[in-house]
């Protein structure tokens, strides 16, 4: 999915930057903190007043690529208004930096009402020539009567600290933050775009120039900030509490920011600017675009980690506020960001399939099953690595259907079956030869539609997907097969669930296993209707039902059950419950007894028959233990403590056991 800027963007919580002398950490006399609290009380979280050293400290940053000074400049530039308590040389210097006209921020200067403040060396200069003369129309000053704390540092030097009287915000400042026009301004801003090489003359303006197949864009730090925050919110919102800054791919974030800008300008200018060879971003900071974005991301990260107001988001729901999704058809090579070497490998796999894959026949339950595996050589490894790379990207790009439960992180078999726990009527279907009946041409159309591949490049898409097939069939055994099979039925799942919802039916699919349930009994008429819908929709994708594996049952009396994806839904006196079934319990018991015998053999040292070496015995014990732990874990997941006790009861018929010590 790609994004562009909205014509009008909405800043949900404009930033206010509170500056001035640092008193002490969290000290009740710190005027900035008092001001911050009052702004919160008066304006109810509609604004975000930040005291930067509340969270932006050297201890919190610990990154030699990050400059605190640059971070402060960014903060001042993105703020709607900067507040400065002007009574020291350092605060005067801040005024000088932040009064940069290119920042567009308004500045409110609070000056202690003490006559000699204007005569202080260096400080006085800024007060007289910057504030009082007011040659900067964005600067407004307000005097207040302070409480002065004097500390003698030497016989001829006294250090002064200015505080609010009784640590209370002066009435005139309180009235100021109540009536200040900044709090009444609209939080919606129209984005302007101008064909110009100059710096923008408003914070929400983009100046662009196209020259020599190169796009140069100049924009305000504020606009760059909020676009970057949008990207971070979209990509990393769930990871912001992770302290490791390396999770943020700054290059990728930079590219996404640039993509948003170029998509917006392409739309407005009616020119395809994406085909230009070069694209540069410039701000008044004279820093490389990537470095500015790195500092913005670092700022957001530290804010979420350490700010005492971290629960107040910089921006909520960035889609629809700053950016919007757009329908852009893309080239499949671009989708997967394929290198020339990867493209050449794709072509070679398709020409010489048997060089990379081999057939494997396994027996299971007296049935033969054909698998395709990667060869155990360099060619097989290369093919598997390529498919692993494609798979990782697909997991990022493809949104699984909510009714499909297989092959996904965060979804389980139990969740799938739980959807039907309140059912009384059940229908279960199996798709006939699911994988091998998926054809390349049909899959390619589904893939292109779901991931918005330009139809002009279907041949290139086929080239990628063909490497996932073996002799025209989607095989079991290759790493891409599961997710491709799910994509193939994504639209099918949507159509079926929409139809069945009309009759208040619950639908799930786990690979080729379909379950439909109702909270009431399903009569024969409804059963026939459902089957007809399923068969018609499967036919549209060249698939069919395995009618021999279909099941239809109503829980019209107690102690009935239906088995779905290896789990039993059982009708009980107090409602339905889940069970793995007796056979699963017995299989764990057998595994455990076999494991226990091998442990005893190892402990006895009586292994002289030579059938198995000591090392092989230890290896067997390790793997069998892992199998038992996995099976017991699944048992507890499905049945809880009840299943655990069932297993112990079964085992104690043969041996004393403490499963906790396995």
């Amino acid at each position: 999915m790609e994004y562009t800027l909205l014509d009008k963007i909405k800043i949900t919580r404009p930033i206010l930057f509170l500056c001035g002398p640092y008193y002490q950490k969290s000290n009740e006399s710190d005027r900035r903190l008092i001001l911050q609290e009052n702004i919160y009380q008066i304006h109810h979280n509609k604004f975000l007043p930040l005291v930067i050293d509340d969270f932006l400290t050297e201890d919190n940053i610990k990154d030699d690529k990050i400059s605190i000074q640059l971070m402060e400049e960014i903060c001042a530039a993105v703020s709607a208004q900067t507040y400065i308590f002007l009574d020291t040389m350092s605060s005067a210097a801040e005024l000088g930096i932040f009064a940069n006209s290119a920042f567009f921020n308004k500045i409110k200067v609070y000056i202690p009402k003490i006559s000699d403040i204007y005569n202080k060396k260096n400080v006085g200069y800024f007060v007289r020539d910057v504030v009082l003369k007011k040659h900067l129309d964005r600067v407004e000053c307000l005097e207040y009567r302070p409480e002065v704390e004097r500390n003698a540092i030497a016989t001829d030097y006294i250090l002064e600290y200015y505080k609010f009287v009784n640590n209370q915000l002066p009435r005139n400042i309180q009235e100021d933050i109540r009536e200040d026009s900044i709090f009444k301004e609209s939080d919606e801003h129209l984005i302007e775009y101008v064909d110009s090489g100059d710096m923008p003359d408003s914070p929400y303006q983009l100046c662009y120039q196209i020259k020599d197949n190169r796009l140069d864009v100049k924009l305000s730090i504020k606009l760059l900030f909020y676009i970057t925050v949008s990207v971070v919110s979209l990509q990393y919102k769930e990871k912001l509490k992770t302290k490791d800054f390396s999770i943020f791919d700054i290059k990728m974030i930079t590219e996404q920011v640039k993509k948003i800008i170029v998509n917006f300008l392409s739309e407005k200018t009616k020119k395809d600017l994406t085909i230009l060879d070069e694209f540069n971003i410039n701000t008044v900071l004279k820093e490389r675009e990537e470095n500015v974005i790195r500092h913005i991301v670092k700022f957001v990260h530290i804010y979420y980690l350490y700010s005492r107001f971290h629960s107040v988001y910089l921006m909520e729901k960035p889609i629809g506020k700053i950016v919007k999704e757009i329908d852009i058809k893309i080239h499949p090579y671009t989708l997967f960001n394929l290198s020339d070497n990867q493209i050449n490998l794709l072509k070679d796999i398709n020409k010489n399939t048997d060089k990379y894959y081999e057939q494997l026949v396994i027996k299971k339950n007296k049935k033969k099953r054909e698998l395709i595996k990667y060869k155990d050589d360099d060619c097989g490894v290369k093919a598997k690595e390529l498919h692993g790379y494609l798979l990782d990207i697909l997991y990022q790009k493809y949104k699984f259907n909510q009714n499909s439960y297989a092959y996904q992180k965060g979804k389980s078999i139990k969740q799938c079956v739980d959807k039907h726990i309140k059912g009384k009527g059940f229908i279960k279907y199996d798709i006939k030869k699911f994988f091998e009946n998926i054809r390349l041409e049909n899959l390619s159309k589904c893939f292109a539609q779901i991931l918005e591949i330009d139809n002009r490049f279907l041949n290139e898409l086929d080239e990628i997907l063909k490497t996932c097939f073996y002799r025209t069939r989607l095989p079991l055994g290759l790493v891409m097969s599961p997710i491709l099979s799910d994509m193939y039925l994504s639209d099918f799942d949507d159509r079926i669930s929409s139809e069945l919802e009309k009759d208040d039916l619950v639908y799930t699919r786990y690979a080729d296993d379909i379950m439909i349930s109702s909270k009431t009994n399903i009569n024969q008429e409804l059963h026939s209707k459902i089957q007809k819908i399923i068969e018609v929709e499967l036919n549209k994708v060249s698939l069919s039902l395995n009618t021999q594996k279909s099941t239809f049952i109503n829980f019209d009396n107690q102690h009935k059950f239906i088995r779905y994806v290896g789990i039993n839904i059982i009708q009980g006196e107090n409602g339905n419950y889940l069970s793995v079934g007796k056979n699963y319990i017995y299989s764990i018991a057998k595994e455990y007894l076999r494991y226990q015998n091998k442990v005893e053999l190892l402990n006895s040292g009586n292994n002289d028959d030579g059938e198995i070496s000591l090392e092989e015995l230890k290896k067997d014990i390790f793997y069998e233990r892992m199998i038992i732990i996995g099976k017991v874990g699944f048992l507890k997941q499905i049945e809880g403590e009840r299943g655990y006790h069932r297993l112990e009861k079964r085992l104690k018929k043969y041996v004393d056991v403490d499963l906790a010590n396995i």
Side-chain angles (χ1 to χ4, degrees):
M1 187 61 66
E2 288 197 19
Y3 302 89
T4 186
L5 280 171
L6 287 165
D7 291 339
K8 280 187 178 180
I9 68 172
K10 185 178 178 78
I11 309 299
T12 54
R13 290 186 179 90
I15 290 172
L16 306 175
F17 188 24
L18 280 50
C19 305
Y22 175 77
Y23 200 79
Q24 282 180 350
K25 183 72 173 175
S26 301
N27 190 287
E28 63 180 6
S29 299
D30 193 320
R31 292 164 294 173
R32 301 166 306 166
L33 299 181
I34 295 169
L35 178 61
Q36 184 183 51
E37 191 60 40
N38 274 264
I39 292 173
Y40 267 112
Q41 288 176 4
I42 293 172
H43 297 288
H44 309 293
N45 284 348
K46 292 180 181 178
F47 291 81
L48 195 59
L50 297 181
V51 177
I52 202 164
D53 52 33
D54 172 40
F55 59 95
L56 197 65
T57 65
E58 289 183 359
D59 287 341
N60 290 343
I61 292 176
K62 294 179 180 176
D63 189 337
D64 56 9
K65 293 182 179 179
I66 299 298
S67 162
I68 290 183
Q69 182 180 334
L70 181 55
M71 200 88 79
E72 288 183 340
E73 289 181 23
I74 290 171
C75 192
V78 304
S79 62
Q81 186 152 277
T82 300
Y83 294 82
I84 299 178
F85 290 96
L86 185 65
D87 46 49
T88 65
M89 186 173 173
S90 62
S91 57
E94 284 181 321
L95 175 61
I97 294 170
F98 302 150
N100 184 336
S101 60
F103 282 1
F104 304 111
N105 61 322
K106 295 180 180 179
I107 299 176
K108 185 81 64 168
V109 182
Y110 293 143
I111 302 174
K113 208 170 190 177
I114 296 183
S115 59
D116 66 346
I117 188 74
Y118 307 121
N119 299 315
K120 286 192 174 186
K121 193 176 180 182
N122 296 320
V123 177
Y125 168 78
F126 279 94
V127 174
R128 290 192 309 273
D129 296 341
V130 176
V131 179
L132 296 183
K133 289 185 179 180
K134 294 183 182 180
H135 68 273
L136 295 173
D137 58 4
R138 296 178 299 110
V139 180
E140 181 183 349
C141 66
L142 187 71
E143 291 187 336
Y144 67 96
R145 191 169 299 280
E147 181 181 321
V148 184
E149 181 182 313
R150 293 182 173 88
N151 296 310
I153 305 301
T155 54
D156 61 344
Y157 182 67
I158 296 175
L159 189 63
E160 293 182 345
Y161 291 108
Y162 297 94
K163 304 188 292 187
F164 292 139
V165 178
N166 298 323
N167 292 327
Q168 297 293 313
L169 195 69
R171 187 172 295 177
N172 65 327
I173 295 180
Q174 215 174 88
E175 195 62 30
D176 183 57
I177 63 172
R178 194 181 300 277
E179 300 300 328
D180 197 333
S181 62
I182 196 71
F183 298 107
K184 300 174 184 179
E185 292 179 0
S186 171
D187 54 2
E188 275 196 343
H189 307 276
L190 180 68
I191 300 296
E192 301 173 355
Y193 57 100
V194 181
D195 187 354
S196 168
D198 298 330
M199 280 292 174
D201 54 18
S202 87
Y204 303 101
Q205 187 180 78
L206 287 168
C207 295
Y208 71 96
Q209 269 194 329
I210 303 168
K211 190 176 180 180
D212 298 329
N213 215 31
R214 187 184 77 235
L215 173 65
D216 288 314
V217 172
K218 295 177 180 176
L219 74 166
S220 69
I221 303 164
K222 179 177 286 190
L223 187 53
L224 181 61
F225 177 89
Y226 282 108
I227 297 172
T228 304
V229 171
S230 290
V231 173
V232 173
S233 298
L234 289 166
Q235 299 293 329
Y236 295 98
K237 193 170 182 178
E238 302 304 318
K239 299 179 181 178
L240 281 171
K241 291 296 183 183
T242 305
K243 290 192 176 183
D244 184 7
F245 187 67
S246 66
I247 64 167
F248 298 97
D249 188 335
I250 303 300
K251 279 192 175 173
M252 184 198 72
I253 293 171
T254 302
E255 288 306 310
Q256 288 182 326
V257 169
K258 293 167 78 171
K259 196 74 177 195
I260 288 169
I261 294 170
V262 82
N263 285 340
F264 176 80
L265 290 173
S266 292
E267 182 184 8
K268 297 302 178 184
T269 62
K270 309 300 181 187
K271 299 176 182 177
D272 186 4
L273 304 181
T274 62
I275 63 174
L276 297 177
D277 292 337
E278 193 177 345
F279 175 24
N280 299 309
I281 292 176
N282 293 290
T283 69
V284 295
L285 291 176
K286 307 297 182 184
E287 295 276 346
R288 287 179 61 248
E289 59 200 24
E290 192 173 307
N291 193 39
V292 177
I293 288 171
R294 179 187 305 279
H295 278 72
I296 293 171
V297 176
K298 187 72 174 181
F299 175 87
V300 173
H301 188 218
I302 290 178
Y303 168 80
Y304 273 84
L305 284 177
Y306 302 111
S307 172
R308 58 197 187 105
F309 296 106
H310 61 83
S311 60
V312 182
Y313 294 123
L314 289 169
M315 191 168 61
E316 59 183 357
K317 299 180 180 178
I319 298 179
K321 302 289 185 182
I322 307 296
V323 300
K324 63 180 179 181
E325 297 178 359
I326 52 174
D327 184 21
I328 291 183
K329 303 294 185 181
I330 59 174
H331 195 291
Y333 291 174
T334 305
L335 174 72
F336 290 108
N337 194 26
L338 294 174
S339 66
D340 290 343
N341 287 338
Q342 288 172 317
I343 294 169
N344 291 332
L345 179 58
L346 288 169
K347 293 177 179 178
D348 195 58
I349 291 173
N350 291 330
K351 285 181 184 177
N352 308 285
T353 305
D354 290 327
K355 184 172 130 183
Y356 296 90
Y357 311 137
E358 62 184 354
Q359 288 180 292
L360 182 68
V361 178
I362 61 171
K363 289 183 180 180
K364 189 177 180 181
N365 299 327
K366 298 180 180 180
K367 292 183 180 178
K368 290 184 179 179
R369 200 172 191 183
E370 186 183 278
L371 299 178
I372 303 301
K373 66 181 288 287
Y374 302 95
K375 283 193 170 181
D376 297 322
D377 56 21
D378 286 346
C379 288
V381 169
K382 286 179 182 178
K384 190 174 183 178
E385 286 177 348
L386 175 63
H387 284 171
Y389 169 81
L390 299 175
L391 183 65
D392 286 343
I393 292 175
L394 271 188
Y395 270 118
Q396 296 172 30
K397 304 282 187 184
Y398 172 56
K399 186 178 180 181
F400 283 86
N401 192 284
Q402 64 178 357
N403 298 298
S404 172
Y405 285 82
Y407 321 126
Q408 303 175 58
K409 296 174 183 177
K411 281 191 176 182
S412 66
I413 287 178
K414 185 177 185 297
Q415 289 174 324
C416 182
V417 182
D418 268 340
K419 294 283 287 186
H420 305 280
I421 193 66
K422 295 181 179 179
K424 198 170 180 181
F426 303 87
I427 307 172
K428 190 174 70 169
Y429 295 115
D430 179 85
I431 301 173
K432 189 176 182 180
K433 296 181 179 178
F434 179 34
F435 274 58
E436 62 185 82
N437 282 327
I438 296 174
R439 295 290 180 262
L440 175 63
E441 59 272 19
N442 297 332
L443 176 62
S444 185
K445 290 176 185 175
C446 293
F447 194 104
Q449 182 182 344
I450 293 170
L451 294 179
E452 301 177 322
I453 301 295
D454 195 313
N455 288 332
R456 293 173 298 172
F457 307 118
L458 289 182
N459 287 337
E460 287 83 355
L461 177 60
D462 287 351
E463 193 169 68
I464 295 170
L465 295 179
K466 194 177 177 183
T467 68
C468 305
F469 281 71
Y470 186 80
R471 296 177 183 173
T472 74
R473 294 182 175 182
L474 186 69
L476 291 167
L478 300 186
V479 299
M480 288 278 285
S481 295
I483 195 170
L484 291 177
S485 70
D486 195 87
M487 292 178 74
Y488 188 68
L489 288 187
S490 180
D491 283 351
F492 167 85
D493 291 332
D494 278 336
R495 292 193 298 270
I496 294 296
S497 59
S498 297
E499 281 295 320
L500 298 184
E501 279 174 5
K502 297 174 184 176
D503 292 303
D504 200 24
L505 299 168
V506 177
Y507 165 82
T508 63
R509 181 177 61 81
Y510 198 95
D512 57 352
D513 291 310
I514 293 171
M515 175 76 95
I516 298 157
S517 66
S518 170
K519 291 180 181 178
T520 60
N521 285 349
I522 299 174
N523 58 37
Q524 191 59 52
E525 182 183 354
L526 182 56
H527 176 211
S528 299
K529 175 187 172 182
I530 293 168
Q531 184 154 325
K532 183 71 179 290
I533 292 170
I534 299 288
E535 286 176 337
V536 168
E537 293 299 333
L538 280 177
N539 186 58
K540 289 179 181 178
V541 290
S542 303
L543 296 173
S544 61
L545 288 176
N546 186 348
T547 52
Q548 293 181 344
K549 291 187 177 181
S550 298
T551 304
F552 170 39
I553 188 172
N554 286 310
F555 284 2
D556 47 15
N557 55 50
Q558 287 183 13
H559 307 301
K560 282 195 172 182
F561 77 95
I562 186 168
R563 191 166 180 80
Y564 177 47
V565 291
I567 300 173
N568 294 328
I569 303 175
I570 301 175
Q571 185 185 28
E573 294 181 4
N574 300 314
N576 299 341
Y577 62 94
L578 304 184
S579 172
V580 297
K582 287 182 181 179
N583 289 338
Y584 191 85
I585 298 285
Y586 294 169
S587 72
I588 300 175
K590 287 179 181 177
E591 290 277 2
Y592 182 81
L593 292 172
R594 187 161 56 243
Y595 162 81
Q596 191 70 19
N597 288 335
K598 289 184 178 181
V599 170
E600 288 175 0
L601 179 62
L602 180 66
N603 293 336
S604 70
N606 188 18
N607 188 36
D608 300 328
D609 55 13
E611 288 186 10
I612 186 170
S613 70
L614 187 63
E615 288 304 314
E616 287 175 329
L617 182 61
K618 287 180 179 178
K619 193 181 290 184
D620 283 356
I621 289 171
F622 173 79
Y623 285 118
E624 288 184 14
R625 180 174 176 268
M626 291 298 103
I627 291 169
I628 295 166
I629 289 172
K631 286 188 173 183
V632 171
F634 181 72
L635 171 65
K636 288 189 74 173
Q637 182 190 0
I638 304 302
E639 296 192 19
E641 292 299 322
R642 182 177 64 87
Y644 200 71
H645 296 318
R646 285 176 68 203
L647 176 59
E648 281 192 324
K649 186 177 178 182
R650 177 70 184 174
L651 280 168
K652 284 179 178 179
K653 290 183 178 181
Y654 306 101
V655 65
D656 288 331
V657 62
D658 183 2
L659 291 172
N661 293 324
I662 294 179

